[in-house]
Amino acid sequence: MTMPNLTTLRHMTSFSPLLPPWLLYTLAILAMIVLLAGLLRRARGTLWRAAAAAIVLLWLSGPERISETGQALPETAILVVDQSSSMSVGQRAAVAHQAAERLQAEAAHVPGLTLRTVTVHDGHGQGTRLFAALDQAAADIPPARLAGAILLTDGQVHDTPPQPPERLRPADSGGRHATLPLHVLLTGRGEETDRRLRILQAPPYAIVGQNATLRVQVDDLGPHPDNGTEVDLTLDRGGEPPLHKTVRVGQPQDITLPVTHPGPMLVGLSVSPLEGEVSTVNNQDVVRINGVRDRLRVLLVSGTPNQGERVWRRLLKADPSVDLVHFTILRPPDKDDGTPLSDLALIAFPVRELFQEKISQFDLIILDGFENRAILPRTYLENIAQYVRDGGGLLLIGGPEFLGAGSLQDTPLGDILPAHVPTEGGLVEQRFRPALTADGHRHPVTAGLPGAGTAPDGHDADWGPWYRVLRTDSVHGQVLMDGPAHTPLLVLDRVDRGRVAFLLSDQIWLWSHGEGGGGPQSELLRHVSHWLMKEPELEEEQLTATIANDRIVVTRRTAAAVAPHAVTITAPDGTTRQIPLHTTGIGLSQADAPATQQGIWMADDGTHRAFAAPAQDDPVEWSDLRATASVTAPLAGQTGGGLYWLGDDPANLHLPALRAPASGRVSGPDWMGFPQRDARLVTGRTASPLLPAWLVLALAAMLLLTGWWREGR
């Protein structure tokens, strides 16, 4: 409410000279000279003549009385209402809303006071910034009309200055800085306690099979913290058994946990609650660690030198994380032409070391055009088969060598191969373009390869031709690519804990030479190799979940013809709900739902589980959730303002009265106010001379006559 229009009168004295200033100064100097000469001669009546001259000079300077008529202007106080994330604890937001409405109603009954309300939300990662909002709100208020400010908050203000801000220290008419009051209203009954968990250090990456080290600290905040107390810290690794550690309050400590698999790993950390604390939201946090392999060890064994050998070397040597061990069989052992053994190879083929002693150290074995011919004894071939069953990866690139007697499919490796090639009619030599099968369009190894086309059967692929492929008489596993007359070309299969891939042509190197336009040779071989080494992003059956903008998005990838229809979402508090999956592409479906709770969320389709956690948008805001006066009380005291606890019940607020102060004080135990700053708008101005001309003439004449009379005595 603005102040009523009141006409007021203000009087002051001013000068409006009748002569130019330089002339007045000249006359004054001449009068001083005459006075000085008269005094030196001791002439009688000199002082009376000097008084007459002074009267005339004063009149010539034009003294006048100024009367101003004006209108008192209303003053504006700023009410800054905190609605940041920490105000969502308990009834704080409701208390603040109710208090703001009542203050506006009371301000309407205080003469000459306008209350401007400013609502402040989250500070975009910088916490609660009430003083920045106060400065911005006061920018368009004339300094003479700013009465002060009220902060309505839980006390967690992260831009509190050490001294009153410039807006609350405007200069008055005398050039002095008068501090305006800052009143603080706190949404609580008194100082609160809170326990928080802080992640001081967490590695973004960790080596699979090793331990990751987290540095954490638990703090008890409040009037009487009990440092040194032992509390329980739980680490939830998303689907794996939780780990329990004991940590001491107030002390940074290192926690180790094993990294068991490659790819993203969510670790939820939570600490036991503190009795009576205001909230347990900041008792937990989530760490994202990406598990990576230290070095990928690949064993490549090539048959007689061929064009594809160079392709493999370029691909594997280009990856700095791959340690490649490559051997090429230059000559089968049954060929005897008298050449000395020292001239046949630079080094001896370390068969025992590779296939018995160190075979378990390899992540992938590639046999490219490898024709056994008794190079490897049966025991070592059994070792390769067992290596796959124990979790290893095996890739075979087959060519004409599979047609002869004693090929790999006739050895112990035949039990784990996903396809069999007959001796008669097992080689098809004709021009064809490789294409994706329906499974190939769904499988992440081949889905989305450049030039693959979009038809479900894959036969609109725009890839260069090959000219030779092995024909199979039996296949088990997934056929991702085929050749002429739908002959299987690329087959993947799982064997116990391991995996096998069989490329039934040795002409993929044609793509690297650009034959007929070429093809995605590097991408395909890289995807196959990484699938064999169990990279998570290439799993054919995947369930992933992400959280952004307070919603959880679940993505289901499957290589099966029929995808699951629904997924179950479990919130951090244990509540569950089932939401449908909607098809978004070949082998892809999605579902989304609101996700506003902090912590780890779980998605479950009945077979697979995925975990996600929302990123903390403002860690500063959640670091301390107490209602406290410790941050703002010093500043309120410096300005003479009051500090008041409103309570935690919106229906029963302990709100101080807002009134116009009658004395110099601006706050009391149960009231607060703002000083009267006498801001006015001048509407009129009149001037009247202090010395009328007739009075000056009479006084000057009287003084001159008195001087003449004194001189004649």
Side-chain angles (χ1 to χ4, degrees):
M1 176 179 178
T2 59
M3 179 177 289
N5 293 332
L6 300 177
T7 302
T8 60
L9 186 64
R10 183 170 60 174
H11 304 286
M12 58 184 178
T13 302
S14 181
F15 290 88
S16 180
L18 301 177
L19 296 176
W22 65 269
L23 184 55
L24 282 177
Y25 296 149
T26 302
L27 293 176
I29 293 173
L30 291 176
M32 291 292 293
I33 293 174
V34 172
L35 173 62
L36 183 60
L39 292 175
L40 291 176
R41 290 192 304 108
R42 297 187 178 184
R44 295 181 178 182
T46 299
L47 294 178
W48 295 99
R49 293 187 182 95
I55 290 294
V56 173
L57 287 172
L58 179 61
W59 174 71
L60 290 175
S61 65
E64 58 184 9
R65 179 185 177 88
I66 304 296
S67 299
E68 289 184 349
T69 58
Q71 193 176 52
L73 296 175
E75 297 177 356
T76 301
I78 300 175
L79 173 61
V80 184
V81 182
D82 182 1
Q83 289 293 343
S84 59
S85 297
S86 63
M87 292 291 289
S88 63
V89 175
Q91 295 292 313
R92 293 178 186 177
V95 168
H97 178 74
Q98 184 67 22
E101 288 188 345
R102 286 180 52 180
L103 285 173
Q104 283 288 0
E106 291 190 20
H109 299 288
V110 178
L113 181 65
T114 298
L115 193 61
R116 177 184 294 185
T117 301
V118 178
T119 302
V120 179
H121 298 282
D122 290 335
H124 304 290
Q126 298 179 333
T128 302
R129 303 185 61 79
L130 300 189
F131 285 93
L134 172 61
D135 184 74
Q136 185 176 1
D140 61 344
I141 300 176
R145 295 181 57 186
L146 181 62
I150 302 174
L151 300 185
L152 185 46
T153 175
D154 57 6
Q156 297 295 344
V157 184
H158 300 101
D159 64 342
T160 304
Q163 301 294 330
E166 291 293 332
R167 299 291 185 185
L168 297 182
R169 295 189 295 115
D172 59 18
S173 58
R176 299 180 299 272
H177 288 274
T179 302
L180 301 178
L182 173 70
H183 304 293
V184 179
L185 308 182
L186 297 171
T187 56
R189 291 182 296 177
E191 291 290 337
E192 296 175 336
T193 58
D194 184 36
R195 172 171 288 172
R196 71 179 177 189
L197 171 66
R198 290 191 294 158
I199 308 298
L200 303 180
Q201 186 177 356
Y205 299 93
I207 304 300
V208 175
Q210 299 184 13
N211 289 333
T213 301
L214 309 178
R215 192 167 183 81
V216 304
Q217 181 169 331
V218 178
D219 299 314
D220 284 353
L221 308 173
H224 307 290
D226 188 10
N227 291 330
T229 303
E230 291 187 347
V231 297
D232 182 61
L233 177 67
T234 302
L235 293 87
D236 183 0
R237 295 173 294 167
E240 299 184 31
L243 300 177
H244 296 276
K245 305 286 185 178
T246 299
V247 297
R248 291 185 177 274
V249 174
Q251 300 178 9
Q253 294 169 80
D254 292 335
I255 304 295
T256 60
L257 68 157
V259 180
T260 57
H261 59 82
M265 181 176 69
L266 285 177
V267 182
L269 295 91
S270 59
V271 65
S272 55
L274 174 67
E275 183 179 358
E277 69 172 316
V278 62
S279 175
T280 60
V281 171
N282 57 353
N283 291 32
Q284 57 187 350
D285 205 344
V286 175
V287 173
R288 296 168 174 80
I289 301 176
N290 194 36
V292 296
R293 299 179 188 270
D294 183 11
R295 300 284 290 180
L296 299 176
R297 302 201 63 192
V298 178
L299 172 62
L300 171 61
V301 180
S302 302
T304 54
N306 59 82
Q307 295 281 0
E309 182 179 354
R310 190 174 304 169
V311 172
W312 278 114
R313 288 191 60 84
R314 279 201 306 262
L315 175 67
L316 297 173
K317 297 295 286 186
D319 190 341
S321 65
V322 171
D323 283 337
L324 175 63
V325 178
H326 182 200
F327 286 93
T328 301
I329 308 301
L330 298 177
R331 172 177 176 267
D334 58 351
K335 182 177 181 181
D336 185 8
D337 55 5
T339 304
L341 292 178
S342 59
D343 295 339
L344 291 179
L346 298 177
I347 59 174
F349 190 15
V351 177
R352 177 181 177 82
E353 182 180 7
L354 293 178
F355 296 103
Q356 180 166 329
E357 298 176 358
K358 295 184 177 180
I359 187 171
S360 61
Q361 298 180 8
F362 290 103
D363 298 289
L364 175 64
I365 296 176
I366 303 174
L367 301 180
D368 179 17
F370 179 76
E371 187 176 5
N372 189 33
R373 297 285 185 91
I375 294 176
L376 295 180
R378 181 181 181 86
T379 301
Y380 295 158
L381 294 173
E382 291 176 349
N383 289 345
I384 297 176
Q386 189 61 43
Y387 157 82
V388 173
R389 294 188 178 96
D390 291 341
L394 175 65
L395 171 59
L396 292 95
I397 293 89
E401 72 279 356
F402 264 82
L403 301 178
S407 68
L408 289 178
Q409 61 186 2
D410 298 326
T411 70
L413 287 182
D415 295 336
I416 64 171
L417 295 185
H420 183 268
V421 179
T423 303
E424 298 294 331
L427 182 64
V428 178
E429 294 184 305
Q430 69 176 73
R431 187 180 186 274
F432 69 95
R433 290 183 180 271
L436 297 186
T437 64
D439 286 345
H441 271 285
R442 290 189 292 266
H443 202 291
V445 168
T446 49
L449 286 176
T454 57
D457 61 0
H459 282 275
D460 59 347
D462 187 21
W463 293 332
W466 295 359
Y467 300 93
R468 185 166 63 193
V469 64
L470 296 176
R471 184 179 63 82
T472 61
D473 55 8
S474 65
V475 173
H476 54 90
Q478 291 178 297
V479 179
L480 305 189
M481 297 175 63
D482 59 18
H486 298 287
T487 301
L489 183 59
L490 174 63
V491 186
L492 307 185
D493 194 19
R494 296 171 182 263
V495 180
D496 294 341
R497 290 183 295 159
R499 303 181 181 190
V500 180
F502 195 178
L503 183 61
L504 291 118
S505 175
D506 57 357
Q507 294 198 328
I508 192 172
W509 60 269
L510 291 172
W511 280 352
S512 64
H513 286 250
E515 176 74 15
Q521 163 254 327
S522 296
E523 293 90 340
L524 176 59
L525 294 180
R526 185 180 299 110
H527 286 184
V528 172
S529 301
H530 286 186
W531 178 84
L532 290 168
M533 291 185 285
K534 303 176 183 178
E535 292 298 322
E537 64 271 13
L538 291 171
E539 292 296 314
E540 59 268 41
E541 298 296 328
Q542 296 182 34
L543 186 69
T544 58
T546 57
I547 296 180
N549 300 321
D550 292 335
R551 296 193 70 84
I552 181 170
V553 178
V554 181
T555 303
R556 180 68 165 93
R557 174 184 284 276
T558 180
V562 179
H565 299 294
V567 64
T568 301
I569 305 295
T570 304
D573 62 1
T575 58
T576 62
R577 61 176 299 190
Q578 192 174 68
I579 55 177
L581 287 164
H582 304 285
T583 301
T584 57
I586 301 177
L588 290 174
S589 55
Q590 278 190 348
D592 71 288
T596 57
Q597 295 182 28
Q598 295 292 320
I600 296 182
W601 290 70
M602 183 180 72
D604 188 345
D605 65 358
T607 304
H608 303 85
R609 288 181 174 181
F611 300 88
Q616 185 60 266
D617 55 352
D618 196 344
V620 176
E621 181 69 24
W622 294 98
S623 63
D624 189 351
L625 296 177
R626 297 173 300 143
T628 179
S630 60
V631 178
T632 54
L635 199 60
Q638 293 178 44
T639 65
L643 188 141
Y644 311 90
W645 291 95
L646 302 179
D648 54 7
D649 184 3
N652 186 25
L653 296 181
H654 304 292
L655 185 67
L658 182 63
R659 67 191 189 196
S663 62
R665 294 181 60 193
V666 292
S667 65
D670 58 356
W671 68 275
M672 61 182 177
F674 299 98
Q676 298 292 329
R677 305 200 59 207
D678 197 26
R680 298 173 182 271
L681 175 66
V682 176
T683 58
R685 183 173 183 174
T686 59
S688 59
L690 285 176
L691 295 175
W694 61 269
L695 179 59
V696 172
L697 181 59
L699 289 174
M702 183 179 66
L703 291 171
L704 288 174
L705 288 174
T706 302
W708 175 74
W709 177 76
R710 286 288 297 161
E711 188 178 15
R713 292 290 298 262

